[in-house]
Amino acid sequence: MRTDPVTLEVLRNALQSVAEEMGATLTRTALSPNIKDRRDCSTAIYTPAGDLVAQAEHIPLHLGLMPTVVKKVLEIFPPENLAPGDAVMINDPYVSGSHLPDVCVISPVFAGNRLLAIVANLAHHVDIGGSVPGSMSTSATEIFQEGVRIPPVKICGRGQINVDLLRVLAHNVRTADEFYGDVQAQLSANQVGCRRMQELEQKTGSETLKDCMNEIINYTERRLRTALSGIPDGSYQFTDYLEGDGISGDLIKITACVQIDGGSVKVDFTGTSPQVKGPVNATRGVTLACVFFAVKAVADPELPSSEGIARVVEIITPAGTLVNPCFPAPVAHANINTAQRITDVVLGALAQAVPHRVTAAGTGSMSNFTIGGRDARRRYYSYVETYGGGQGAKFNQDGMDGVHVNMTNTMNTPVEVIEMNYPLRVDRYALITDTGGPGEFRGGTGLAREITVLEDATVSLSTERNIVKPWGMQGGLPGQSSRCFIKIPGGKREEIPGKVTREVPGGTTIILETAGGGGFGKPSGRNPAAVRQDVKNGLVSSTAALEDYGFN
């Protein structure tokens, strides 16, 4: 290495800053509330070979997926076929590893005639075609029903947007205006990244910047191997279940054997259920992202995210299984549900080795709520949102209430934004009492969102932990299950499954209640003052305080 440690740290933070500025550009210029308000997007920087160097603090799942897609794209568009001003677009899960609404835009960065780096961003579009508004049908049986598949194609060549291609794509989605606006925001974000990288190269020189990017990856690898050496060697196995695929309610097994050996880790998903008919199949890219996140979270949460993590972790995903399906299996809800369960399984295995580094199970789903149709002016709209729930408690801390956990950390859409942009009325948005798992440290509470549609619409709900509760640890009790309800005008409130897509008339109210997090430690060990404060805050009822903790 020719870069001294001080220069390395300065440039590492500079690269991180570039990624963050790309993210700020994307969210501030996007048109759809899902990106500009919820920030359902991610940005990152890569070496010319497609190795991750720096990423903004956005969506863990996206950022674990993006190295997969960048490398695949570079196989189709090798550096010698790229030019300044190019941009490649892709959303095909069997290349990118995600689901169809996640559109990735990748741009080369040149210093003169030399490829300096790659910048990329990924954003969840509110509609990408398919059988239902929002492109998130819970009853899809093949990927063709989920929307338009975009192979790696140049959306921009030497600075000129491929208007014909963009027109074809926009013609096949319901919300064309938002599609145009969000694609332009993605291109703008990459343009900012390219300029900042070129400015950085002018200050440091190409060789110094190249050495720095490579050394960041080497540093991550060394640091992770050191952290893993502090985890007891051994083989740790854990199994958990998805609650059906949207077609069938049968439990779907996900199992992993995590082997720690000195400074390396091997995660083997042999024994996991075969791929299923419904849209919860997780591509290998999704599975890799989940494992990388879980290992980093347990071994060294402050570890810089880069290609160095992939060098340390070996992952076995048998083909044709839920965690590595074969085309054309549908995948839309793998990001929402299966990703969270894969993460739970890996964390559950690691908890056997280092229980004080792992939280109890959290809400277990990104809990997707999609409503779409036409408003009073007959314009298509698509409301897309994911909801948090209870975070699992850990050995010295309560779980957080009503937050996203594990593979996502999007923000919520403000009530005012929902009601301004869509023919919807938000009737309730609140934490749910007594949903956090009791324990010495209490699991976080779930939340409820109650929405009334003002015009006929198609609704898709997708959540988990409706049957299999979020598990507690070290004597902590599980969190409460999720629940979903519907009330048709003139009818009674009825409970519905956790995965459902259906058409509803105007005036229908849909209620989503997400699961709480598991508790940590026996409830009898909880500080009485903490119980009293929970009751005061409305997180625990007086009845539960007496029954679960023995306090009046």
Side-chain angles (χ1 to χ4, degrees):
M1 187 192 76
R2 287 170 287 179
T3 305
D4 66 88
V6 173
T7 302
L8 176 65
E9 185 63 9
V10 170
L11 291 181
R12 186 182 72 80
N13 282 277
L15 291 167
Q16 180 71 25
S17 178
V18 172
E20 296 287 353
E21 186 178 356
M22 289 172 61
T25 302
L26 178 51
T27 56
R28 293 179 67 179
T29 58
L31 188 58
S32 69
N34 192 55
I35 300 174
K36 69 180 180 182
D37 291 295
R38 293 192 60 246
R39 302 185 183 182
D40 194 350
C41 57
S42 298
T43 53
I45 300 169
Y46 303 82
T47 69
D51 294 332
L52 176 65
V53 175
Q55 62 183 35
E57 295 294 334
H58 290 160
I59 313 299
L61 180 64
H62 288 177
L63 295 165
L65 289 167
M66 287 167 68
T68 302
V69 61
V70 170
K71 289 180 178 179
K72 289 285 188 180
V73 166
L74 289 176
E75 291 177 6
I76 298 169
F77 291 97
E80 58 268 24
N81 293 342
L82 294 173
D86 284 354
V88 178
M89 175 184 283
I90 177 177
N91 80 334
D92 185 350
Y94 286 93
V95 178
S96 70
S98 189
H99 59 181
L100 292 177
D102 283 345
V103 176
C104 190
V105 177
I106 300 162
S107 301
V109 183
F110 282 87
N113 295 322
R114 178 180 178 182
L115 182 62
L116 180 68
I118 303 288
V119 295
N121 67 72
L122 186 152
H124 184 121
H125 287 245
V126 294
D127 192 274
I128 200 70
S131 61
V132 300
S135 313
M136 294 289 289
S137 172
T138 61
S139 57
T141 56
E142 58 180 4
I143 197 169
F144 303 106
Q145 299 165 357
E146 296 183 327
V148 177
R149 290 170 54 229
I150 308 170
V153 289
K154 282 190 181 181
I155 191 66
C156 206
R158 295 185 181 274
Q160 297 298 312
I161 295 177
N162 188 336
V163 178
D164 290 337
L165 173 60
L166 198 56
R167 186 182 298 119
V168 169
L169 296 174
H171 199 69
N172 284 278
V173 305
R174 295 171 180 85
T175 53
D177 288 345
E178 288 182 314
F179 180 80
Y180 276 120
D182 290 345
V183 169
Q184 290 284 5
Q186 291 185 266
L187 291 171
S188 297
N190 279 8
Q191 288 169 3
V192 168
C194 289
R195 286 201 303 270
R196 295 294 180 263
M197 288 297 294
Q198 289 164 347
E199 291 168 358
L200 193 58
E201 185 272 338
Q202 290 172 5
K203 293 178 181 178
T204 65
S206 295
E207 288 303 315
T208 297
L209 190 54
K210 175 185 174 182
D211 289 343
C212 170
M213 290 193 289
N214 289 330
E215 184 55 25
I216 287 171
I217 296 170
N218 295 334
Y219 170 72
T220 298
E221 178 185 0
R222 293 194 304 270
R223 182 165 156 178
L224 180 55
R225 290 191 186 280
T226 299
L228 286 170
S229 67
I231 298 177
D233 286 353
S235 181
Y236 309 98
Q237 187 151 347
F238 194 85
T239 298
D240 207 337
Y241 297 86
L242 277 181
E243 300 166 348
D245 63 354
I247 308 295
S248 164
D250 295 340
L251 295 180
I252 306 166
K253 179 182 179 182
I254 301 178
T255 189
C257 179
V258 178
Q259 298 178 15
I260 304 293
D261 184 12
S264 64
V265 59
K266 176 180 177 181
V267 182
D268 187 352
F269 287 93
T270 299
T272 293
S273 292
Q275 66 188 66
V276 293
K277 188 175 182 181
V280 296
N281 300 288
T283 62
R284 177 171 164 83
V286 168
T287 304
L288 296 181
C290 297
V291 174
F292 294 154
F293 167 83
V295 170
K296 178 179 183 292
V298 172
D300 187 352
E302 302 300 321
L303 182 74
S305 294
S306 77
E307 184 72 18
I309 298 175
R311 293 179 180 177
V312 179
V313 184
E314 178 185 357
I315 304 170
I316 298 174
T317 56
T321 64
L322 188 75
V323 295
N324 186 12
C326 298
F327 179 84
V331 300
H333 290 270
N335 286 23
I336 304 301
N337 295 315
T338 315
Q340 299 287 58
R341 193 63 68 256
I342 292 169
T343 307
D344 280 346
V345 167
V346 178
L347 291 173
L350 290 169
Q352 299 168 29
V354 281
H356 284 191
R357 296 193 191 182
V358 180
T359 65
T363 190
S365 173
M366 299 180 195
S367 295
N368 180 259
F369 201 159
T370 301
I371 305 173
R374 295 194 185 193
D375 61 20
R377 288 179 284 181
R378 310 307 297 160
R379 298 180 308 180
Y380 279 106
Y381 74 93
S382 180
Y383 159 73
V384 178
E385 185 154 16
T386 56
Y387 291 97
Q391 181 190 44
K394 63 178 186 177
F395 81 100
N396 63 350
Q397 185 176 315
D398 291 347
M400 290 187 287
D401 305 309
V403 297
H404 277 301
V405 301
N406 293 344
M407 300 309 296
T408 185
N409 61 351
T410 52
M411 301 177 72
N412 65 0
T413 307
V415 172
E416 297 83 357
V417 172
I418 294 174
E419 295 184 343
M420 269 195 322
N421 284 274
Y422 311 111
L424 306 173
R425 184 182 71 237
V426 179
D427 300 316
R428 184 181 178 222
Y429 190 35
L431 299 176
I432 310 172
T433 304
D434 292 338
T435 49
E440 180 179 1
F441 298 98
R442 175 185 53 79
T445 61
L447 58 77
R449 180 81 107 172
E450 184 172 330
I451 294 180
T452 296
V453 301
L454 304 181
E455 304 285 342
D456 295 354
T458 301
V459 173
S460 292
L461 278 179
S462 182
T463 191
E464 274 283 326
R465 297 300 190 193
N466 190 249
I467 300 169
V468 183
K469 295 181 178 181
W471 36 267
M473 287 182 60
Q474 304 292 304
L477 301 183
Q480 289 301 306
S481 300
S482 63
R483 301 180 74 186
C484 303
F485 302 90
I486 190 168
K487 186 179 183 301
I488 303 293
K492 297 180 179 179
R493 186 170 106 154
E494 300 177 8
E495 189 161 3
I496 57 177
K499 299 180 185 70
V500 63
T501 296
R502 62 186 289 181
E503 295 181 358
V504 299
T508 298
T509 300
I510 305 101
I511 302 101
L512 170 63
E513 297 181 353
T514 63
F520 192 104
K522 294 180 180 179
S524 59
R526 188 160 179 79
N527 187 327
V531 178
R532 286 193 292 270
Q533 188 63 45
D534 285 342
V535 173
K536 182 179 179 180
N537 292 339
L539 304 177
V540 175
S541 67
S542 298
T543 300
L546 180 60
E547 293 178 352
D548 296 330
Y549 297 102
F551 300 128
N552 290 315

